[in-house]
Amino acid sequence: DQQVKQNSPSLSVQEGRISILNCDYTNSMFDYFLWYKKYPAEGPTFLISISSIKDKNEDGRFTVFLNKSAKHLSLHIVPSQPGDSAVYFCAASKGTSYGKLTFGQGTILTVHP
Amino acid sequence: EAGVAQSPRYKIIEKRQSVAFWCNPISGHATLYWYQQILGQGPKLLIQFQNNGVVDDSQLPKDRFSAERLKGVDSTLKIQPAKLEDSAVYLCASSIQTSGGRDTQYFGPGTRLTVL
């Protein structure tokens, strides 16, 4: 039962353009969503999060959008840089689970110079 | 500030052998997590500790996996006996655990296990 899905295994963009990574979830009890970034041979690192009471959160070049009715979130990176090339995981949690995260499968982002 | 430490970084064993992984969380972090990440999938929570008590072990295959967190600091995860499908990266994470459960989880580099 895959409660968090990232349907695009990979994404390739040119440096300076926008990268859009998508994530869908099925459990309506999820109320907090996060994006993690992972480089090879390293653990995931936290990037940005959003609570279900919001529909947008920005942090520099990174913006996360949440559409609760569609159970969909997306991460926008503008402008994309070669150093952004990594695997991006979306994750979700619910208030009753006290920190337990459910992760998607990940999307490999490649930013070409 | 030192990050989450894990050892070993790589381990190769034969099926039916035993293996143990060690994790040292960030100092002061009350909550510790062990995740299993199979190739091509996202991390899956195996067990969550709050101090030295278990909060969630619903996805831990208890017939072969065990974990402990003595004195609420370091933790070990053991597999006995290992199966081929246990080949994965085992990630340890920690968080401060303020009220509300929205704390950032900080991950270690992981241990890559190969079972032959």
Side-chain angles (χ1 to χ4, degrees):
Chain A
D1 177 25
Q2 189 77 30
Q3 298 186 64
V4 178
K5 294 182 182 179
Q6 294 175 256
N7 292 317
S8 298
S10 62
L11 176 66
S12 181
V13 300
Q14 285 297 125
E15 181 178 7
R17 307 294 289 268
I18 184 171
S19 296
I20 300 176
L21 297 102
N22 294 302
C23 180
D24 297 296
Y25 61 96
T26 57
N27 191 334
S28 57
M29 297 297 291
F30 288 141
D31 60 0
Y32 191 65
F33 304 89
L34 310 89
W35 285 93
Y36 278 81
K37 175 180 177 179
K38 186 182 182 305
Y39 291 118
E42 294 183 13
T45 55
F46 170 74
L47 197 55
I48 192 169
S49 63
I50 187 167
S51 166
S52 61
I53 62 173
K54 294 185 172 183
D55 54 18
K56 177 182 174 182
N57 189 26
E58 276 183 88
D59 184 1
R61 296 185 297 114
F62 303 91
T63 303
V64 57
F65 295 91
L66 175 62
N67 183 333
K68 289 189 293 293
S69 60
K71 294 191 179 67
H72 177 83
L73 65 155
S74 61
L75 174 68
H76 293 209
I77 307 173
V78 184
S80 301
Q81 299 173 354
D84 295 329
S85 297
V87 181
Y88 289 79
F89 292 98
C90 69
S93 71
K94 43 191 175 181
T96 55
S97 68
Y98 214 44
K100 176 179 177 180
L101 296 179
T102 300
F103 282 85
Q105 312 96 304
T107 296
I108 302 170
L109 173 65
T110 304
V111 181
H112 299 282
Chain B
E1 180 183 78
V4 177
Q6 289 188 247
S7 68
R9 292 295 311 275
Y10 304 92
K11 190 75 176 177
I12 300 174
I13 62 173
E14 303 214 338
K15 59 183 179 183
R16 291 188 288 273
Q17 285 187 324
S18 302
V19 64
F21 313 126
W22 173 82
C23 173
N24 181 236
I26 293 172
S27 177
H29 281 195
T31 308
L32 185 146
Y33 313 79
W34 281 103
Y35 289 86
Q36 179 192 58
Q37 185 182 6
I38 293 172
L39 187 64
Q41 299 181 19
K44 181 183 84 171
L45 180 69
L46 292 176
I47 188 167
Q48 177 182 346
F49 292 94
Q50 171 97 3
N51 296 308
N52 59 350
V54 175
V55 174
D56 186 338
D57 63 357
S58 57
Q59 298 189 96
L60 186 74
K62 297 180 187 63
D63 58 334
R64 299 183 300 106
F65 286 65
S66 64
E68 61 181 6
R69 190 182 185 197
L70 299 176
K71 301 180 182 177
V73 182
D74 293 6
S75 177
T76 56
L77 176 69
K78 296 179 181 177
I79 308 175
Q80 180 179 4
K83 292 185 175 182
L84 296 176
E85 59 260 35
D86 299 331
S87 294
V89 175
Y90 290 84
L91 294 161
C92 179
S94 69
S95 65
I96 291 178
Q97 201 65 72
T98 55
S99 62
R102 301 308 193 199
D103 307 293
T104 299
Q105 294 185 27
Y106 296 87
F107 284 81
T111 297
R112 180 176 295 278
L113 173 68
T114 302
V115 182
L116 303 175

